[in-house]
Amino acid sequence: MGSSVTGPASGEFVRAAPPPGGTVVSAVGYRRQGSGTALHRGLPSPYLTLIFSLDGPVVTGRTPGEATGPDAARTDIVVGGLHQSPAYVVQPEHESGIQLAVHPLAARALLGLPAAELAGPMVVEGADVLGRIAADVRERLCELDSWEGRFALLNAYLARRTAAAGRTGAVRPEITEAWSWLARHRGAGTLRGLSAHVALSERRLSALFRAETGVTPKQAARLMRFQHAKTAAVRAVAAGARPDLAGIAADCGYYDHSHLVRDFRQYTDASPTAWLAEECRNIQAGAHGGGEDLDP
Protein backbone atom coordinates (compact mmCIF):
# COMPACT_ATOMS: atom_id res chain seq x y z
CA MET A 1 0.00 0.00 0.00
CA GLY A 2 2.55 2.53 -1.21
CA SER A 3 0.39 5.44 -2.37
CA SER A 4 -0.44 8.24 0.02
CA VAL A 5 -4.02 8.39 1.27
CA THR A 6 -5.23 11.39 -0.71
CA GLY A 7 -8.26 12.73 -2.48
CA PRO A 8 -9.06 14.85 -5.51
CA ALA A 9 -11.15 17.64 -3.96
CA SER A 10 -8.59 19.48 -1.83
CA GLY A 11 -5.60 18.27 0.09
CA GLU A 12 -2.45 19.22 1.96
CA PHE A 13 0.61 17.00 1.64
CA VAL A 14 3.66 17.68 3.77
CA ARG A 15 6.80 15.68 3.14
CA ALA A 16 9.41 15.40 5.88
CA ALA A 17 13.00 14.25 5.63
CA PRO A 18 13.02 10.67 6.91
CA PRO A 19 15.00 10.06 10.10
CA PRO A 20 18.60 8.84 9.71
CA GLY A 21 19.32 5.14 9.65
CA GLY A 22 17.38 4.03 6.58
CA THR A 23 14.49 2.45 8.47
CA VAL A 24 11.95 4.96 7.13
CA VAL A 25 12.19 5.74 3.42
CA SER A 26 9.57 8.49 3.23
CA ALA A 27 7.20 10.35 5.55
CA VAL A 28 4.13 12.27 4.42
CA GLY A 29 1.62 14.21 6.47
CA TYR A 30 -1.73 14.53 4.74
CA ARG A 31 -4.98 16.38 5.26
CA ARG A 32 -7.85 15.98 2.83
CA GLN A 33 -11.29 17.50 2.56
CA GLY A 34 -13.52 16.11 -0.15
CA SER A 35 -17.02 16.55 -1.36
CA GLY A 36 -18.06 13.12 -0.13
CA THR A 37 -16.87 9.57 0.46
CA ALA A 38 -14.58 8.12 -2.20
CA LEU A 39 -12.58 4.93 -2.77
CA HIS A 40 -8.81 4.99 -3.26
CA ARG A 41 -6.40 2.28 -4.41
CA GLY A 42 -3.42 1.80 -2.11
CA LEU A 43 -0.80 0.24 -4.36
CA PRO A 44 1.75 -2.46 -3.57
CA SER A 45 5.31 -1.22 -3.22
CA PRO A 46 8.69 -2.52 -2.02
CA TYR A 47 8.02 -0.91 1.37
CA LEU A 48 5.93 -1.59 4.42
CA THR A 49 3.22 0.92 5.24
CA LEU A 50 2.76 2.56 8.63
CA ILE A 51 -0.08 5.08 9.03
CA PHE A 52 -1.08 7.04 12.10
CA SER A 53 -4.57 8.38 11.43
CA LEU A 54 -5.32 11.74 13.05
CA ASP A 55 -9.05 11.43 12.41
CA GLY A 56 -11.20 8.30 12.47
CA PRO A 57 -9.98 4.82 11.59
CA VAL A 58 -8.59 3.96 8.17
CA VAL A 59 -11.07 1.63 6.47
CA THR A 60 -9.65 -0.87 3.96
CA GLY A 61 -10.43 -4.06 2.07
CA ARG A 62 -9.00 -6.32 -0.61
CA THR A 63 -11.86 -5.44 -2.96
CA PRO A 64 -14.18 -2.46 -3.30
CA GLY A 65 -17.01 -4.58 -1.90
CA GLU A 66 -15.01 -5.65 1.14
CA ALA A 67 -13.81 -2.10 1.82
CA THR A 68 -17.36 -0.77 1.82
CA GLY A 69 -18.91 -3.75 3.58
CA PRO A 70 -19.09 -5.17 7.09
CA ASP A 71 -15.84 -7.13 6.71
CA ALA A 72 -13.68 -4.05 6.13
CA ALA A 73 -10.64 -3.55 8.35
CA ARG A 74 -10.89 -0.44 10.54
CA THR A 75 -7.65 0.64 12.17
CA ASP A 76 -6.40 3.87 13.76
CA ILE A 77 -2.79 2.78 13.26
CA VAL A 78 -2.21 0.83 10.05
CA VAL A 79 0.64 -1.60 9.49
CA GLY A 80 0.83 -3.17 6.04
CA GLY A 81 3.29 -5.70 4.62
CA LEU A 82 4.51 -6.41 1.09
CA HIS A 83 1.57 -7.42 -1.09
CA GLN A 84 0.89 -8.34 -4.70
CA SER A 85 -2.45 -6.57 -5.19
CA PRO A 86 -3.95 -3.19 -4.26
CA ALA A 87 -5.77 -2.38 -1.05
CA TYR A 88 -8.97 -0.38 -1.39
CA VAL A 89 -9.18 2.52 1.07
CA VAL A 90 -12.44 4.30 1.89
CA GLN A 91 -11.83 8.03 1.96
CA PRO A 92 -14.26 9.91 4.21
CA GLU A 93 -15.12 13.53 3.62
CA HIS A 94 -12.38 14.58 6.06
CA GLU A 95 -9.17 12.69 6.83
CA SER A 96 -5.67 13.42 8.05
CA GLY A 97 -2.68 11.48 9.24
CA ILE A 98 0.97 10.60 8.75
CA GLN A 99 2.00 7.84 6.37
CA LEU A 100 5.45 6.26 6.46
CA ALA A 101 7.13 3.97 3.96
CA VAL A 102 9.26 1.59 6.03
CA HIS A 103 12.13 -0.46 4.66
CA PRO A 104 11.10 -4.14 4.94
CA LEU A 105 14.44 -5.15 6.44
CA ALA A 106 13.83 -2.64 9.24
CA ALA A 107 10.71 -4.48 10.38
CA ARG A 108 12.50 -6.43 13.12
CA ALA A 109 14.05 -3.30 14.59
CA LEU A 110 11.08 -1.00 14.18
CA LEU A 111 8.08 -3.31 14.53
CA GLY A 112 9.55 -6.19 16.52
CA LEU A 113 8.87 -8.86 13.89
CA PRO A 114 10.06 -9.82 10.40
CA ALA A 115 8.12 -8.34 7.48
CA ALA A 116 7.07 -11.87 6.52
CA GLU A 117 4.67 -11.93 9.48
CA LEU A 118 2.73 -9.09 7.87
CA ALA A 119 2.27 -10.84 4.53
CA GLY A 120 -1.07 -12.49 5.30
CA PRO A 121 -3.72 -9.85 6.09
CA MET A 122 -3.88 -6.73 3.94
CA VAL A 123 -3.41 -4.54 7.04
CA VAL A 124 -2.76 -5.16 10.73
CA GLU A 125 -3.89 -3.05 13.69
CA GLY A 126 -0.76 -1.14 14.62
CA ALA A 127 -1.39 -1.21 18.37
CA ASP A 128 -1.35 -5.03 18.21
CA VAL A 129 2.14 -4.89 16.68
CA LEU A 130 3.62 -1.86 18.41
CA GLY A 131 1.86 -2.08 21.76
CA ARG A 132 -0.19 0.32 23.86
CA ILE A 133 2.44 3.05 23.74
CA ALA A 134 1.77 3.46 20.00
CA ALA A 135 -1.85 4.34 20.78
CA ASP A 136 -0.57 6.90 23.30
CA VAL A 137 1.74 8.36 20.66
CA ARG A 138 -1.18 8.61 18.25
CA GLU A 139 -3.22 10.53 20.84
CA ARG A 140 -0.34 12.94 21.35
CA LEU A 141 -0.01 13.40 17.57
CA CYS A 142 -3.69 14.32 17.42
CA GLU A 143 -3.18 16.97 20.11
CA LEU A 144 -0.35 18.73 18.27
CA ASP A 145 -1.20 21.47 15.80
CA SER A 146 1.91 21.56 13.58
CA TRP A 147 3.37 19.04 11.15
CA GLU A 148 6.86 19.86 12.41
CA GLY A 149 5.90 18.90 15.95
CA ARG A 150 4.15 15.73 14.82
CA PHE A 151 7.11 14.55 12.76
CA ALA A 152 9.50 15.32 15.62
CA LEU A 153 7.39 13.32 18.07
CA LEU A 154 7.02 10.39 15.70
CA ASN A 155 10.71 10.33 14.78
CA ALA A 156 11.70 10.32 18.44
CA TYR A 157 9.32 7.44 19.15
CA LEU A 158 10.63 5.39 16.22
CA ALA A 159 14.25 6.11 17.19
CA ARG A 160 13.59 4.80 20.70
CA ARG A 161 12.08 1.61 19.30
CA THR A 162 15.02 1.04 16.97
CA ALA A 163 17.57 1.68 19.71
CA ALA A 164 15.76 -0.69 22.08
CA ALA A 165 15.80 -3.48 19.47
CA GLY A 166 19.60 -3.53 19.34
CA ARG A 167 21.02 -6.78 18.00
CA THR A 168 17.61 -8.47 18.06
CA GLY A 169 16.71 -6.33 15.06
CA ALA A 170 19.56 -7.66 12.93
CA VAL A 171 18.88 -9.37 9.60
CA ARG A 172 21.11 -12.02 8.01
CA PRO A 173 23.80 -10.20 6.01
CA GLU A 174 23.08 -12.29 2.91
CA ILE A 175 19.49 -11.03 2.85
CA THR A 176 20.54 -7.45 3.46
CA GLU A 177 23.00 -7.66 0.59
CA ALA A 178 20.46 -9.42 -1.63
CA TRP A 179 17.98 -6.58 -1.16
CA SER A 180 20.67 -3.97 -1.86
CA TRP A 181 21.73 -5.84 -5.01
CA LEU A 182 18.15 -5.95 -6.30
CA ALA A 183 17.75 -2.24 -5.56
CA ARG A 184 21.00 -1.35 -7.33
CA HIS A 185 19.78 -3.29 -10.38
CA ARG A 186 16.38 -1.54 -10.11
CA GLY A 187 14.68 -4.94 -9.96
CA ALA A 188 16.12 -5.99 -13.32
CA GLY A 189 18.74 -8.51 -12.16
CA THR A 190 18.36 -12.28 -12.44
CA LEU A 191 17.94 -14.74 -9.59
CA ARG A 192 20.99 -16.61 -10.87
CA GLY A 193 23.10 -13.46 -10.71
CA LEU A 194 21.74 -12.59 -7.27
CA SER A 195 22.38 -16.05 -5.81
CA ALA A 196 25.94 -16.02 -7.15
CA HIS A 197 26.50 -12.59 -5.65
CA VAL A 198 25.49 -13.65 -2.12
CA ALA A 199 26.98 -17.16 -2.43
CA LEU A 200 23.75 -19.04 -1.74
CA SER A 201 21.87 -21.50 -3.91
CA GLU A 202 18.78 -20.11 -5.60
CA ARG A 203 16.54 -22.34 -3.50
CA ARG A 204 18.22 -21.44 -0.21
CA LEU A 205 18.25 -17.74 -1.03
CA SER A 206 14.58 -17.75 -2.00
CA ALA A 207 13.61 -19.55 1.21
CA LEU A 208 15.57 -17.20 3.48
CA PHE A 209 14.44 -14.10 1.58
CA ARG A 210 10.78 -15.07 1.78
CA ALA A 211 11.05 -15.99 5.47
CA GLU A 212 12.35 -12.46 6.16
CA THR A 213 10.26 -10.32 3.82
CA GLY A 214 7.19 -12.37 2.92
CA VAL A 215 8.00 -12.30 -0.80
CA THR A 216 10.48 -14.09 -3.04
CA PRO A 217 13.42 -12.26 -4.65
CA LYS A 218 11.55 -12.39 -7.97
CA GLN A 219 8.44 -10.81 -6.43
CA ALA A 220 10.56 -8.12 -4.73
CA ALA A 221 12.27 -7.39 -8.05
CA ARG A 222 8.89 -6.97 -9.77
CA LEU A 223 7.74 -4.58 -7.05
CA MET A 224 10.91 -2.52 -7.51
CA ARG A 225 10.54 -2.40 -11.29
CA PHE A 226 6.92 -1.38 -10.96
CA GLN A 227 7.80 1.34 -8.43
CA HIS A 228 10.35 2.84 -10.82
CA ALA A 229 7.94 2.63 -13.76
CA LYS A 230 5.07 4.15 -11.80
CA THR A 231 7.33 6.96 -10.56
CA ALA A 232 8.48 7.73 -14.11
CA ALA A 233 4.88 7.83 -15.36
CA VAL A 234 3.78 10.03 -12.44
CA ARG A 235 6.63 12.47 -13.05
CA ALA A 236 5.62 12.79 -16.70
CA VAL A 237 2.01 13.54 -15.77
CA ALA A 238 3.13 16.02 -13.11
CA ALA A 239 5.20 17.81 -15.75
CA GLY A 240 2.17 18.03 -18.04
CA ALA A 241 3.46 15.45 -20.51
CA ARG A 242 1.94 12.26 -21.83
CA PRO A 243 3.96 9.32 -20.46
CA ASP A 244 5.90 7.30 -23.03
CA LEU A 245 4.94 3.91 -21.62
CA ALA A 246 7.00 1.93 -24.14
CA GLY A 247 10.04 4.04 -23.30
CA ILE A 248 9.39 3.69 -19.57
CA ALA A 249 9.11 -0.09 -19.95
CA ALA A 250 12.48 -0.22 -21.72
CA ASP A 251 14.17 2.13 -19.21
CA CYS A 252 12.84 0.16 -16.23
CA GLY A 253 14.00 -3.25 -17.43
CA TYR A 254 10.73 -4.70 -18.73
CA TYR A 255 10.95 -7.19 -21.58
CA ASP A 256 8.40 -5.15 -23.49
CA HIS A 257 5.45 -2.79 -23.08
CA SER A 258 3.00 -5.65 -22.53
CA HIS A 259 4.90 -6.79 -19.43
CA LEU A 260 4.58 -3.30 -17.96
CA VAL A 261 0.84 -3.36 -18.65
CA ARG A 262 0.64 -6.80 -16.98
CA ASP A 263 2.25 -5.48 -13.79
CA PHE A 264 0.02 -2.40 -13.75
CA ARG A 265 -3.05 -4.59 -14.04
CA GLN A 266 -1.89 -6.82 -11.21
CA TYR A 267 -0.80 -4.03 -8.86
CA THR A 268 -3.51 -1.44 -9.63
CA ASP A 269 -6.44 -3.46 -11.04
CA ALA A 270 -6.27 -1.11 -14.05
CA SER A 271 -4.24 -0.41 -17.16
CA PRO A 272 -1.49 2.24 -16.91
CA THR A 273 -3.58 4.72 -18.88
CA ALA A 274 -6.70 4.13 -16.78
CA TRP A 275 -4.81 4.38 -13.48
CA LEU A 276 -3.03 7.58 -14.49
CA ALA A 277 -6.32 9.14 -15.59
CA GLU A 278 -7.88 8.18 -12.26
CA GLU A 279 -4.97 9.63 -10.29
CA CYS A 280 -4.35 12.70 -12.47
CA ARG A 281 -5.71 15.24 -9.97
CA ASN A 282 -3.88 13.60 -7.08
CA ILE A 283 -0.62 13.64 -9.05
CA GLN A 284 -0.97 17.31 -9.94
CA ALA A 285 -1.81 18.12 -6.31
CA GLY A 286 1.48 16.55 -5.22
CA ALA A 287 0.03 13.51 -3.50
CA HIS A 288 2.43 11.06 -5.15
CA GLY A 289 5.60 13.11 -4.79
CA GLY A 290 8.65 12.05 -6.72
CA GLY A 291 8.93 8.48 -5.55
CA GLU A 292 11.28 7.00 -3.01
CA ASP A 293 14.83 5.80 -3.24
CA LEU A 294 14.88 2.02 -3.39
CA ASP A 295 18.45 1.57 -2.25
CA PRO A 296 18.88 1.40 1.55
Side-chain angles (χ1 to χ4, degrees):
M1 207 159 53
S3 295
S4 298
V5 181
T6 57
S10 64
E12 176 187 16
F13 309 98
V14 180
R15 297 179 182 275
T23 57
V24 175
V25 181
S26 72
V28 180
Y30 62 88
R31 180 181 290 110
R32 171 190 175 272
Q33 179 173 337
S35 56
T37 302
L39 202 60
H40 171 70
R41 303 169 199 254
L43 304 189
S45 86
Y47 308 111
L48 311 179
T49 298
L50 177 58
I51 300 174
F52 285 78
S53 172
L54 303 181
D55 283 327
V58 178
V59 181
T60 61
R62 293 182 180 273
T63 65
E66 183 175 282
T68 55
D71 295 328
R74 291 171 169 81
T75 53
D76 291 323
I77 304 172
V78 175
V79 176
L82 303 183
H83 295 290
Q84 304 297 305
S85 60
Y88 286 87
V89 184
V90 176
Q91 295 182 310
E93 189 169 349
H94 304 279
E95 63 178 352
S96 63
I98 296 178
Q99 177 165 323
L100 307 177
V102 176
H103 197 291
L105 299 189
R108 288 181 184 271
L110 204 57
L111 306 178
L113 44 72
E117 293 191 23
L118 303 171
M122 185 61 73
V123 299
V124 177
E125 170 56 62
D128 292 342
V129 175
L130 298 167
R132 174 61 198 174
I133 192 172
D136 295 337
V137 168
R138 176 184 171 271
E139 290 181 6
R140 292 172 62 193
L141 289 171
C142 293
E143 293 168 356
L144 295 173
D145 56 7
S146 75
W147 289 115
E148 182 180 7
R150 291 168 184 152
F151 283 123
L153 171 62
L154 193 53
N155 287 347
Y157 163 65
L158 297 177
R160 289 195 300 271
R161 285 193 61 88
T162 302
R167 293 181 61 86
T168 62
V171 176
R172 287 184 61 126
E174 302 97 326
I175 303 307
T176 299
E177 181 56 30
W179 187 278
S180 295
W181 189 92
L182 286 173
R184 288 196 299 272
H185 287 76
R186 297 166 62 92
T190 65
L191 180 59
R192 177 178 296 180
L194 176 59
S195 64
H197 178 74
V198 298
L200 291 173
S201 70
E202 294 182 20
R203 178 177 294 182
R204 178 64 171 160
L205 170 61
S206 294
L208 291 173
F209 196 96
R210 186 164 196 164
E212 186 64 42
T213 67
V215 297
T216 65
K218 182 177 179 180
Q219 289 172 324
R222 283 186 64 194
L223 286 171
M224 291 179 185
R225 275 200 309 275
F226 171 72
Q227 183 83 352
H228 282 297
K230 177 174 70 72
T231 297
V234 164
R235 284 175 176 166
V237 171
R242 182 176 180 178
D244 175 10
L245 295 176
I248 290 173
D251 290 343
C252 293
Y254 284 93
Y255 181 75
D256 57 23
H257 174 252
S258 66
H259 283 72
L260 172 62
V261 173
R262 174 205 64 185
D263 276 8
F264 256 90
R265 290 193 181 279
Q266 175 175 335
Y267 295 138
T268 74
D269 278 347
S271 69
T273 302
W275 182 80
L276 288 167
E278 181 181 287
E279 288 292 308
C280 184
R281 290 185 181 178
N282 285 332
I283 291 168
Q284 293 174 346
H288 289 272
E292 296 93 357
D293 185 355
L294 293 173
D295 200 354

